Amino acid sequence: RSVCASGRFAVSASRDESMAVFDLTRGVDLGQLYQDATGVTCVAMHSGSHLISGADDGRLCIFRAADWEQLMGMKGHGGRVTDVV
């Protein structure tokens, strides 16, 4: 559904609850991140240090790129989040 890249990382979002994370400098798949939602609709990197994701259920999540820990999840919309910048 969505792909973003910033500096060393690229992230792709899927219709399921997952996001695939890639290290572009090493050329390796770093694994999956999961958002408790019906589907991840959009992703964006902020300064290469944080990932922001939006979902079908109106939820936004923020992940720290250093260790990919989910720092925050918030429900702010009644409908689908279609873009994050």
Side-chain angles (χ1 to χ4, degrees), residues 16-35:
D16 60 14
E17 301 166 1
S18 71
M19 292 161 275
V21 181
F22 303 92
D23 183 323
L24 298 174
T25 23
R26 296 185 347 203
V28 295
D29 180 350
L30 296 177
Q32 304 286 315
L33 298 174
Y34 294 93
Q35 180 170 336

Side-chain angles (χ1 to χ4, degrees), residues 59-75:
R59 184 173 305 275
L60 291 170
C61 288
I62 300 173
F63 297 85
R64 181 176 45 224
D67 57 6
W68 298 108
E69 178 181 349
Q70 182 177 330
L71 301 176
M72 188 179 300
M74 41 199 154
K75 172 94 170 152

Side-chain angles (χ1 to χ4, degrees), residues 32-47:
Q32 304 286 315
L33 298 174
Y34 294 93
Q35 180 170 336
D36 187 22
T38 54
V40 180
T41 55
C42 50
V43 288
M45 292 293 295
H46 176 70
S47 301

